[in-house]
């Protein structure tokens, strides 16, 4: 499907993430002996417009008698990073209703991270316009599998979305720190966190995590998993508004996780994810 190449009318420079050289051997090998979040820095930016510089806040749709709405509701922003569907490239899908154009600035920002966008497609359905990129490392021509770089891709896309569509920050967790508008609601991390481990054949298990989104989350999840010697083989990471949903294929010494290890993994992730709002004295 062809991409509608619509150049954005606002020119701005993106300086999102200052990334130091990556010392880890890769996403799916061994343990991550680092503190990755400290190496991700986000520069808060504001969209400068002509006139008085005030951007009207987008409000939720108001129902009227005939079933229509007086104002357009802000759609749900979604960013999907998929390492499973394409063996040669990392697939990234960005959706924000029908408001996204060709995302030329986003593709340029990804190139600045040392990446190549080898394919780009646009699909329109009832849920909105889905912009899909197939991404490889410029240095190797292979798919991206390093957690720090995957997180950099995610934050770059989210920053660009908030830059050119400021109203999206009202529905994104990152909007609290870096957006024009504050998120329309807060999420209780204890209630929002759900962790499940399922058998997925004799050689691997499927780990599903849903929690409140925050910067650095991909790196954090992989570090916690590998710190207990569980290997991450592949996965998918979805940002849906204020929530993050991850699916990882995991194994231990080439085998599926036994029930006691599944419980250890779930408990470790649950403790770590809830820790930001949990006092140490409560344990």
């Amino acid at each position: 499907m062809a991409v509608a190449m619509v150049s954005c009318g606002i020119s701005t420079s993106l300086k999102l993430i200052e990334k130091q050289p990556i010392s880890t051997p890769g996403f799916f090998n061994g343990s991550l002996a680092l503190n990755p979040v400290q190496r991700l820095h986000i520069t808060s930016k504001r969209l400068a417009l002509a006139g008085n510089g005030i951007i009207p806040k987008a409000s939720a749709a108001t129902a009227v008698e005939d079933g229509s709405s007086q104002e357009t509701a802000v759609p749900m922003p979604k960013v999907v990073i998929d390492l499973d569907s394409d063996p040669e490239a990392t697939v990234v899908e960005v959706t924000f209703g029908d408001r996204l154009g060709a995302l030329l600035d986003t593709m340029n920002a990804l190139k600045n991270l040392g990446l190549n966008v080898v394919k780009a497609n646009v699909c329109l359905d009832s849920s909105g316009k889905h912009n899909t990129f197939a991404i490889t490392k410029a240095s190797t021509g292979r798919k991206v599998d390093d957690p720090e770089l995957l997180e950099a891709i995610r934050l770059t896309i989210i920053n660009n979305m908030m830059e050119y569509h400021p109203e999206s920050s009202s529905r994104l967790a990152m909007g609290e720190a870096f957006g024009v508008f504050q998120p329309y609601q807060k999420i209780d991390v204890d209630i929002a966190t759900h962790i499940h481990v399922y058998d997925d054949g004799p050689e691997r298990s499927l780990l599903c995590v849903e929690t409140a989104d925050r910067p650095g989350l991909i790196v954090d999840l992989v570090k916690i998993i590998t710190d207990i010697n569980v290997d991450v083989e592949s996965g998918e990471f979805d940002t849906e508004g204020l929530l993050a949903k991850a699916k990882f294929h995991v194994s231990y010494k080439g085998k599926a996780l036994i029930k006691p290890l599944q419980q250890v993994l779930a408990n470790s992730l649950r403790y770590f994810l809830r820790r930001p709002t949990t006092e140490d004295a409560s344990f």
Side-chain angles (χ1 to χ4, degrees), residues 10 28 58 63 95 127 137 147 164-165 176 179 186 226:
I10 301 173
F28 309 124
T95 305
S127 63
K137 293 181 182 177
Y164 295 107
H165 298 277
E176 184 170 0
K186 301 284 187 179
T226 56

Side-chain angles (χ1 to χ4, degrees), residues 20 30 56 58-59 63 69 77 81 99 112 116 123 133 140 144 148 154 164 174 218 229 236 243 256 273 277 280:
Q20 299 179 6
S59 59
S69 60
I81 298 177
R99 305 189 183 196
N112 291 336
N116 286 332
C123 172
F133 311 129
T140 63
V144 181
E148 286 191 17
R154 185 174 80 100
Y164 295 107
M174 311 302 179
I218 295 179
N229 297 317
E236 178 181 312
L243 287 174
L273 293 171
T277 57
D280 292 338

Side-chain angles (χ1 to χ4, degrees), residues 43-95:
T43 301
S44 177
K45 303 189 69 175
R46 293 293 184 270
L47 194 62
L49 298 180
N52 58 14
I54 299 176
I55 305 172
K57 184 173 182 179
S59 59
T62 303
V64 293
E65 290 183 1
D66 61 359
S68 62
S69 60
Q70 294 176 335
E71 296 183 69
T72 303
V74 178
M76 175 69 74
K78 294 184 181 181
V79 179
V80 177
I81 298 177
D82 179 9
L83 288 93
D84 284 333
S85 61
D86 191 325
E88 305 296 332
T90 299
V91 178
V92 178
E93 181 181 313
V94 186
T95 305

Side-chain angles (χ1 to χ4, degrees), residues 1 48 58-59 69 91 102 116 139 142 150 177 205 209 216 218 223 267 272 283:
M1 285 171 278
S59 59
S69 60
V91 178
N116 286 332
S139 59
R142 297 186 177 183
L150 290 171
S205 300
V209 180
I218 295 179
K223 185 179 186 301
N267 289 343
F272 176 81
F283 288 92

Side-chain angles (χ1 to χ4, degrees), residues 106-124:
T106 296
M107 287 191 283
N108 288 331
L110 293 175
K111 290 179 181 178
N112 291 336
L113 294 176
L115 304 169
N116 286 332
V117 179
V118 295
K119 288 185 294 185
N121 295 312
V122 175
C123 172
L124 184 63

Side-chain angles (χ1 to χ4, degrees), residues 131-236:
N131 296 264
T132 304
F133 311 129
I135 298 172
T136 60
K137 293 181 182 177
S139 59
T140 63
R142 297 186 177 183
K143 68 192 309 178
V144 181
D145 57 9
D146 183 275
E148 286 191 17
L149 189 49
L150 290 171
E151 181 68 5
I153 291 169
R154 185 174 80 100
L155 296 183
T156 296
I157 293 170
I158 290 174
N159 184 78
N160 264 29
M161 186 182 294
M162 292 191 297
E163 189 75 25
Y164 295 107
H165 298 277
E167 73 277 14
S168 67
S169 63
S170 67
R171 304 209 66 181
L172 287 163
M174 311 302 179
E176 184 170 0
F178 311 114
V180 174
F181 304 126
Q182 294 291 300
Y184 67 97
Q185 68 181 47
K186 301 284 187 179
I187 287 186
D188 187 320
V189 68
D190 288 332
I191 297 175
T193 298
H194 304 281
I195 301 168
H196 303 282
V197 185
Y198 305 98
D199 293 330
D200 191 28
E203 297 182 351
R204 66 182 188 178
S205 300
L206 179 64
L207 168 66
C208 299
V209 180
E210 180 175 322
T211 191
D213 190 26
R214 61 176 185 260
L217 190 55
I218 295 179
V219 184
D220 291 343
L221 290 175
V222 175
K223 185 179 186 301
I224 294 301
I225 296 169
T226 56
D227 275 353
I228 58 175
N229 297 317
V230 173
D231 295 322
V232 181
E233 298 178 5
S234 62
E236 178 181 312

